[in-house]
Amino acid sequence: MPRYFFNLRYGHGPEKLSVDPEGDELPDLDAVRMHALHSARDLIARSRTDAVRDWFVCSYEIEDEDCQRLLTVAFSDTVPDNEDDGNF
């Protein structure tokens, strides 16, 4: 199973990137995106840090084992659009 690395971008510049040294094994990019959204929700709900002032400007820059960026998942994607959820 391929390994994906979920690097946390929390601002501009190289000093605002937290590199995931371990990664996670997942079957495909759909599973990667779902894992990223679940992890982002968990971080938003449970983490308290001075380094991140606004979680909704953060994103995961997801790379494969060859350090190729495959996907970027914005933390703002954890909140559905009102138009998309069918509830008004």
Side-chain angles (χ1 to χ4, degrees):
M1 198 170 321
R3 182 171 296 275
Y4 299 92
F5 298 86
F6 294 77
N7 303 319
L8 174 62
R9 167 72 58 200
Y10 59 96
H12 298 291
E15 71 281 355
K16 301 290 185 171
L17 181 68
S18 178
V19 176
D20 175 6
E22 296 177 16
D24 290 294
E25 290 184 346
L26 296 159
D28 56 36
L29 285 179
D30 287 333
V32 168
R33 179 170 169 68
M34 295 306 295
H35 180 77
L37 290 171
H38 176 77
S39 176
R41 285 185 195 103
D42 190 54
L43 277 173
I44 292 166
R46 300 177 194 272
S47 294
R48 302 290 179 247
T49 178
D50 291 332
V52 178
R53 302 218 185 275
D54 182 1
W55 283 108
F56 293 107
V57 300
C58 296
S59 62
Y60 279 120
E61 296 178 0
I62 301 162
E63 297 179 341
D64 64 12
E65 293 173 298
D66 296 324
C67 299
Q68 298 296 311
R69 189 178 310 164
L70 303 174
L71 188 63
T72 299
V73 176
F75 278 37
S76 60
D77 289 350
T78 62
V79 181
D81 292 336
N82 285 339
E83 297 170 8
D84 294 339
D85 66 10
N87 298 318
F88 295 98

